Amino acid sequence: MAEVVEKVYEQVVARNRGETEFHQAVREVLDSLAPVIAKHPHYADDALLERIVEPERQVIFRVPWVDDAGNVQVNRGFRIEFNSALGPYKGGLRFHPSVNAGIIKFLGFEQIFKNALTNQAIGGGKGGSDFDPHGRSDAEVMRFCQSFMTELSRHIGPSTDVPAGDIGVGGREIGFLFGQYKRLRNSYDAGVLTGKGLGWGGSLVRTEATGYGTVLFAQSMLATKGQSLEGKRVAVSGSGNVAIYAIEKAQQLGATPITFSDSSGYVVDEAGVDLDLLKQVKEVERGRVADYVSRRPGARLVTEGRVWDVPAEVALPCATQNELGGAGAATLLRNGCAVVAEGANMPSTPEAIEAFQAAGILYAPGKAANAGGVATSALEMEQNAGRTRWSFETAEAKLTGIMADIHDSCVAAAEEYGRPGDYVLGANAAGFTRVADVMIAHGIV
Ligand code: GLU
């Protein structure tokens, strides 16, 4: 790494002690920026790099609520408003016991560049809580969301900060959060949250967008080699919203997804995933992957090892950060995997990324491949602002166009900085330069 970016990285580590995921996300971006700064040294002027790694604002708050047994529970809430150069802070809320300041900071940092890649007017932010919705009743989830929003409402707004979903936050949670926001403000500000229900300001295709976009990105990468997804075996991890709609789009494009997973293990279904059953188990029943296996002859649940042990030509990590390590990458490569597109945020460890790049396979980082979700959130904001609703076809055509543009921007930037085919460099350089140019225009703020 060039000296200037090394210094910035050391400051980040010193100032954000123990926040290893944030260090990892910053390191990856700064590594990519060395050739950009070498070619355009003005990007290191006026402490621009020091400013871009420091959140504009961080809010940490107490979230007290009463469970069904009458006990008072206390969780911690976060909203990290990282960068507003391009538009209102934009990014999801994650409810998961692993959430802490470092996790939200890494996600918010990634979001800056991802959102820039979409070429829409959205800045970067992220939030969440260490609250675990699993095993909680709807009433408990509602009371938690109401308490969380009571504080969060002071910090957000359609032109200020627009949260959405992420792990543990889906349509149900967005509904409770929106209801409380509307009640507190006495104002129907549909554009304050995205991922809303279709009857109250939500956009068609938002539910599908992250998974669909990830597969469209994989298809674009394959097209650069004159290939397609048709007939390919696909290993998918996760079984949430991203995984389900990645499986759906992969099937539509003629591929055969054969796996999915949750924290209890992974499922292999050699005949191809039965999507209706998977949706019934996960979306309707909020069940576990074992509930799929018990109703699907031929499918098996594996509780040892990783989904990456299953031979597949395409891998779509759609679960969570650092789920695909050096060993998983080595197994995938040994079994002939030639395409990896990340539906999750930072699912591959640095060792895994290095292995993919050394092998010269097609590898797309999440900030490019999974940007379809937030891009469609921006389309939802656009419809809310115009008090209009688009058809599924209109929204999907826009998503398809945006994913193609992101792909082409990554390819062009990788070429410009001398590493053709390097989607990590391409995504980071293209995202960074868009944000940095605007930060320079806005002066030292
Ligand atoms: N949580 C999603 C992401 O990681 C979506 C954010 C949004 O729609 O604002 O990009």
Side-chain angles (χ1 to χ4, degrees):
M1 210 195 295
E3 204 182 313
V4 50
V5 291
E6 188 66 52
K7 207 174 106 246
V8 175
Y9 178 72
E10 279 164 18
Q11 280 173 11
V12 165
V13 173
R15 199 176 245 172
N16 303 274
R17 294 234 176 257
E19 297 180 353
T20 50
E21 292 86 0
F22 180 48
H23 305 166
Q24 183 183 335
V26 169
R27 176 110 222 176
E28 186 211 280
V29 170
L30 289 177
D31 276 341
S32 292
L33 293 186
V36 179
I37 311 270
K39 192 163 175 187
H40 306 289
H42 72 283
Y43 284 131
D45 290 350
D46 294 332
L48 191 143
L49 297 174
E50 286 86 341
R51 282 185 285 142
I52 212 167
V53 296
E54 182 66 16
E56 289 178 17
R57 186 178 299 107
Q58 307 183 56
V59 191
I60 303 182
F61 50 100
R62 179 169 70 200
V63 190
W65 56 284
V66 182
D67 69 19
D68 286 348
N71 299 315
V72 176
Q73 302 278 347
V74 180
N75 285 100
R76 184 172 278 185
F78 299 88
R79 187 70 185 167
I80 298 200
E81 298 180 333
F82 222 121
N83 192 299
S84 61
L86 298 183
Y89 308 104
K90 182 85 197 83
L93 299 170
R94 176 176 292 190
F95 293 169
H96 191 270
S98 64
V99 162
N100 57 39
I103 296 277
I104 299 299
K105 224 178 270 175
F106 113 67
L107 290 163
F109 185 70
E110 290 278 293
Q111 203 83 42
I112 304 170
F113 307 102
K114 180 197 307 198
N115 294 3
L117 282 170
T118 70
N119 226 352
Q120 288 160 304
I122 42 178
K126 202 84 183 191
S129 174
D130 56 3
F131 171 72
D132 186 0
H134 280 115
R136 291 292 178 190
S137 68
D138 286 352
E140 287 178 317
V141 171
M142 180 179 76
R143 287 195 295 276
F144 173 81
C145 287
Q146 290 179 340
S147 181
F148 184 87
M149 181 53 87
T150 301
E151 173 61 32
L152 186 69
S153 66
R154 304 167 196 268
H155 311 288
I156 63 175
S159 303
T160 308
D161 183 355
V162 183
D166 195 82
I167 294 171
V169 179
R172 174 182 62 171
E173 290 75 17
I174 294 293
F176 294 147
L177 291 164
F178 185 73
Q180 182 73 349
Y181 182 87
K182 179 169 69 66
R183 177 194 195 190
L184 288 164
R185 291 291 170 98
N186 191 28
S187 177
Y188 208 112
D189 298 333
V192 72
L193 288 171
T194 60
K196 297 182 293 296
L198 296 177
W200 41 282
S203 174
L204 284 160
V205 188
R206 177 62 191 89
T207 305
E208 295 84 356
T210 313
Y212 275 23
T214 301
V215 173
L216 292 171
F217 200 96
Q219 182 86 325
S220 293
M221 290 199 295
L222 278 161
T224 64
K225 308 261 180 218
Q227 295 174 33
S228 80
L229 281 164
E230 179 96 46
K232 295 210 164 38
R233 279 164 60 96
V234 184
V236 178
S237 63
S239 51
N241 167 268
V242 180
I244 288 174
Y245 292 97
I247 290 171
E248 183 163 291
K249 182 52 79 180
Q251 289 179 342
Q252 286 172 9
L253 295 177
T256 307
I258 44 163
T259 67
F260 55 86
S261 66
D262 68 13
S263 54
S264 62
Y266 67 88
V267 171
V268 187
D269 191 342
E270 291 287 349
V273 174
D274 177 341
L275 196 58
D276 289 341
L277 178 58
L278 180 59
K279 285 183 180 176
Q280 172 66 25
V281 167
K282 298 302 292 195
E283 292 183 333
V284 181
E285 299 169 17
R286 294 181 186 275
R288 309 293 290 164
V289 294
D291 303 328
Y292 174 98
V293 173
S294 61
R295 280 182 255 170
R296 173 83 170 159
R300 60 195 162 90
L301 177 66
V302 185
T303 53
E304 300 285 304
R306 294 276 183 166
V307 65
W308 317 122
D309 298 337
V310 181
E313 292 144 292
V314 179
L316 305 176
C318 298
T320 194
Q321 67 273 357
N322 292 329
E323 56 162 313
L324 204 182
T331 311
L332 280 171
L333 291 168
R334 205 168 39 246
N335 288 331
C337 178
V339 184
V340 179
E342 296 183 341
N345 291 312
M346 209 170 76
S348 304
T349 64
E351 296 72 34
I353 297 173
E354 213 180 298
F356 296 142
Q357 296 198 318
I361 68 160
L362 296 166
Y363 164 72
K367 63 170 76 70
N370 75 32
V374 76
T376 309
S377 277
L379 300 178
E380 183 173 328
M381 291 163 70
E382 195 178 329
Q383 291 167 80
N384 296 151
R387 295 187 182 279
T388 185
R389 293 182 64 178
W390 302 335
S391 67
F392 193 94
E393 290 68 30
T394 303
E396 194 181 20
K398 286 185 190 263
L399 169 65
T400 305
I402 291 168
M403 293 314 298
D405 284 349
I406 295 173
H407 176 266
D408 294 351
S409 304
C410 292
V411 169
E415 269 167 24
E416 180 178 353
Y417 296 107
R419 296 222 294 267
D422 183 341
Y423 287 87
V424 175
L425 173 72
N428 288 329
F432 169 80
T433 50
R434 275 183 201 162
V435 180
D437 287 342
V438 176
M439 286 176 72
I440 291 167
H442 288 174
I444 299 174
V445 291

